[in-house]
Amino acid sequence: MTEPARSPEVRKQHAVKRLEEDIDAWVSTSSADGTPYLMPLSFLWDGETLLFSTAASNPTSLNLQATGRAHVALDHTRDVVIFTATVETLRAEELPPGAADAFAAKIGFDPRDAGALYLYFRFTPETLQSWREANELTGRTLMRDGTWLV
Amino acid sequence: MTEPARSPEVRKQHAVKRLEEDIDAWVSTSSADGTPYLMPLSFLWDGETLLFSTAASNPTSLNLQATGRAHVALDHTRDVVIFTATVETLRAEELPPGAADAFAAKIGFDPRDAGALYLYFRFTPETLQSWREANELTGRTLMRDGTWLV
């Protein structure tokens, strides 16, 4: 049964809680010539941005380095939190103090210990939407140009 | 706790069951100039291809019409079934007999009844992978060039 539509305020609280507590997201990127690439990756939310890490040679990494853009969804197609993001590429030594440790503690894997070179990627959400079912498509946009609307 | 890695045969059985029974997938597309777009959409599996439908004017639709390519994942980041696909665009009258009815019966929505023009998209998987956790990354490729390897 479809639940009643939630208010924008309730949706924002839910989206922020998911950003704080979820571990994985679907990261959609594209090569410069328009080949889409989708991969689940773990992240750490700092209240404003999401930190991801993947091997420097992976398609997601190459796409992010080339385009600086991603479309990201938290898990579950019937409880959607989805956003476009601008993306900066960072090496471990360029992260703020403690960020690499906090990332490793949450994810259970430290990219600094990987055999291959891993890069970090800081995602800044631009347009963020949240809905559960069709009755919530109206009012699904909660952030635009990086600013919460509610 | 991480489960033991499954055999390729067990993974294929699981992937086919998910294709038969799941309703939603994450569809990653790109514009011709490399802007990624991610959206959950419902699908119908016919044993070889997946049928999707979305409004003709939606970004996913425009991207599929322009590029004919998608990267698709079934739901759940810790039980991954993911594949690249080539995509044909079809109007309702171009579908095989019964396909539009079967689609509407499964999805609970008939695109032929929508106010706006909806198109159908037939996805043919090319490379399909399945894994749950890091211990299953080896052996995750179950289909290559549209042919099951197991």
Side-chain angles (χ1 to χ4, degrees):
Chain A
M1 199 187 75
T2 300
E3 299 283 330
R6 300 164 297 175
S7 71
E9 291 75 14
V10 169
R11 294 197 213 191
K12 179 185 173 184
Q13 288 167 11
H14 177 72
V16 169
K17 184 176 162 69
R18 296 278 311 277
L19 287 164
E20 290 169 350
E21 298 182 0
D22 279 23
I23 299 174
D24 303 324
W26 292 104
V27 178
S28 169
T29 59
S30 170
S31 64
D33 72 349
T35 300
Y37 195 79
L38 181 61
M39 194 54 49
L41 291 173
S42 300
F43 69 91
L44 175 69
W45 169 248
D46 71 1
E48 294 188 346
T49 66
L50 301 89
L51 190 64
F52 291 83
S53 182
T54 191
S57 60
N58 278 350
T60 298
S61 169
L62 297 174
N63 290 346
L64 291 173
Q65 292 176 68
T67 70
R69 287 186 293 196
H71 205 169
V72 182
L74 304 188
D75 213 0
H76 308 315
T77 56
R78 299 287 167 130
D79 184 4
V80 177
V81 177
I82 193 165
F83 54 92
T84 59
T86 54
V87 180
E88 299 163 85
T89 303
L90 300 165
R91 291 175 174 266
E93 57 269 27
E94 298 175 302
L95 294 176
D101 288 344
F103 183 89
K106 177 180 175 188
I107 308 309
F109 164 73
D110 193 334
R112 295 170 296 181
D113 297 336
L117 174 65
Y118 271 60
L119 294 170
Y120 292 86
F121 298 93
R122 183 190 287 141
F123 285 46
T124 302
E126 295 289 315
T127 297
L128 184 146
Q129 300 181 316
S130 179
W131 71 91
R132 292 183 302 203
E133 304 272 352
N135 68 327
E136 286 198 341
L137 292 179
T138 300
R140 63 181 156 169
T141 301
L142 303 179
M143 175 189 288
R144 190 171 286 136
D145 297 331
T147 301
W148 290 104
L149 303 179
V150 287
Chain B
M1 199 186 75
T2 301
E3 298 285 330
R6 299 165 297 174
S7 71
E9 291 75 14
V10 169
R11 293 196 213 192
K12 179 184 172 183
Q13 288 168 9
H14 177 71
V16 170
K17 185 176 161 69
R18 296 278 311 276
L19 287 164
E20 290 170 349
E21 297 182 0
D22 279 22
I23 298 173
D24 303 325
W26 291 103
V27 178
S28 169
T29 59
S30 170
S31 65
D33 72 348
T35 300
Y37 196 79
L38 181 62
M39 194 53 49
L41 292 173
S42 300
F43 69 90
L44 175 69
W45 169 248
D46 71 1
E48 294 188 346
T49 65
L50 300 90
L51 190 64
F52 291 83
S53 182
T54 190
S57 59
N58 278 349
T60 298
S61 169
L62 298 175
N63 290 346
L64 291 173
Q65 293 176 68
T67 70
R69 288 186 293 197
H71 204 167
V72 182
L74 304 188
D75 213 0
H76 307 316
T77 56
R78 299 284 168 134
D79 184 5
V80 177
V81 177
I82 193 166
F83 54 91
T84 59
T86 54
V87 180
E88 298 163 86
T89 303
L90 300 165
R91 290 175 174 265
E93 56 270 27
E94 298 175 303
L95 294 177
D101 288 343
F103 183 89
K106 178 181 175 188
I107 308 311
F109 164 73
D110 193 333
R112 295 169 296 181
D113 298 336
L117 174 64
Y118 270 60
L119 295 170
Y120 292 87
F121 299 92
R122 183 189 288 142
F123 284 45
T124 302
E126 295 289 316
T127 297
L128 183 145
Q129 301 180 316
S130 179
W131 71 91
R132 292 183 301 205
E133 303 273 351
N135 68 328
E136 286 198 341
L137 292 179
T138 299
R140 63 181 155 170
T141 302
L142 303 179
M143 176 189 287
R144 190 170 285 134
D145 297 331
T147 302
W148 290 103
L149 304 178
V150 287

